[in-house]
Amino acid sequence: MAANYVWRILFALGAITLAACDRGPELPESAGYGPNPTLPEPHPTGAFPYVNIAPVVGWRGVEKPVPAEGLSVAAFSTGLDHPRWLYELPNGDILVAETDAPTSEEGEGGGVRGFIMRLYMRQAGSHHPSANRIMLLRDADGDGVAETKEVFLENLNSPFGMALVGDRLYVANADSLVRFPYKEGDTRIEAPPEKVVDLPSGRNHHWTKSLVADPVGSRLYVGVGSNSNVAENGMEEEHNRADILEINPTTGEMRVFASGLRNPVGMDWNPATGDLWAAVNERDELGDNLVPDYMTGVREGAFYGWPYSYYGQHVDVRAQPENPELVKQAIRPDYALGSHTASLGLTFVADADLGPFQNGAIIGQHGSWNRNPRAGYRVIFVKFEKGAPVGAPKEVLTGFLNERGEAQGRPVGVIIDKRGGLLVADDVGGAVWRVSAAKQDAN
């Protein structure tokens, strides 16, 4: 009873803060998408952010997300503990990272602001004790439903990214890159982890460490988010953060591949150009329509603005001291994905069992916590032509918010499986959904 009373007070305060803030001009959410998004004047929100989180209720009974016309969706696996990220092994087995923020980390920081933010994030389905394991899902009969669910790896530290190189499975924990021996068909690994290299940890404002191997397995790339919104904790806490790190898996040698990416999460290789692409979460507290998340081709040695500027060379005066020389070098991203949408998952799709959704990128949008109206909470598709994104996004999977604005689920990682279906990790829904072309009635 007391806990519910506290939550009512907190959400009432959040609503008052939301109503009192000047959140900038009202723009349609679509204005924040595409190669040339609308970027209004910034409207800083002050010491406390406004909050508009969708309370989590989960899926009830036979409820499930809503696929686009011509597609169908089924539960590939349910009853999972905060499934965030997906990886497919060569034999078609699916690995799922059941994970959440490290409980020992400071997270959003100390003080009243940090305390309130942690409470809100728990209400949104995050910041609960992490299962710290990777599950294996196997659909041996190919019917689109995994009949096997086994604990594959456990006793990890907020694991996220996974990549198989030869006979070694690499896992990016919140604080380190580790590897394990793997033999095709294994359903469990008992061997202890071998550390390859430490990864930035500590406060872990952004704790996830995404991971992708290059096509020949000679280098690994780790996405590391910033330790703050806009370097308010000092740049000394941002060493090797807001970066994509390149790691030699043999020697552990590490260097910054690209920088100034506030929180690079989903990464994949563009099949048309061979370039690395990333989905990046941008900064908060500048209004409802700033700053758009984005996806972009990642150039070696390039700087993408954070914390000194956004979307190219738009200066963020909150980052002190300013760095005009570095701002001059800031690269404009390729395609905006909407402000505060929390675009996390990214996968390219060429030839798949997804009807019209071919030759483009699919993005999992976890959903906003500080925008009015709420944005994201869906999976979208963006068409590519000649290796570049074109046109407006199209919805692939919706229905994560119910008619009361409550979150039944929140999409995160997305991959295309070997049978051409789309797998979507739904962390607060505790499920992995599989999307494919709707089967035509024989009649």
Side-chain angles (χ1 to χ4, degrees), residues 108-185:
E108 299 293 335
V112 175
R113 184 184 192 278
F115 172 74
I116 291 175
M117 286 306 300
R118 285 191 291 274
L119 286 178
Y120 276 121
M121 291 303 164
R122 289 191 185 100
Q123 184 72 357
S126 185
H127 287 65
H128 293 283
S130 176
N132 287 334
R133 64 178 175 243
I134 293 173
M135 301 294 291
L136 180 140
L137 307 178
R138 178 175 291 173
D139 175 16
D141 59 9
D143 66 350
V145 177
E147 63 273 5
T148 299
K149 180 168 66 173
E150 301 279 355
V151 175
F152 186 69
L153 279 168
E154 55 188 339
N155 300 318
L156 300 168
N157 183 24
S158 296
F160 198 74
M162 298 158 279
L164 182 67
V165 177
D167 61 355
R168 292 292 182 270
L169 178 70
Y170 291 80
V171 176
N173 284 317
D175 60 353
S176 63
L177 177 67
V178 298
R179 64 187 168 204
F180 301 86
Y182 169 76
K183 181 174 78 280
E184 185 167 315

Side-chain angles (χ1 to χ4, degrees), residues 15 20 33 309 396:
Y33 283 82
S309 65
V396 178

Side-chain angles (χ1 to χ4, degrees), residues 249-271:
T250 302
T251 66
E253 182 182 2
M254 182 170 66
R255 71 181 181 108
V256 174
F257 181 76
S259 61
L261 302 132
R262 179 176 174 265
N263 188 23
V265 187
M267 296 187 291
D268 199 7
W269 300 95
N270 187 324

Side-chain angles (χ1 to χ4, degrees), residues 322-356:
E322 296 184 13
N323 193 330
E325 291 304 312
L326 200 52
V327 169
K328 291 178 183 177
Q329 303 174 32
I331 302 296
R332 184 181 175 90
D334 288 298
Y335 191 96
L337 292 170
S339 296
H340 313 299
T341 56
S343 296
L344 300 179
L346 171 70
T347 190
F348 280 99
V349 52
D351 183 18
D353 184 25
L354 293 173

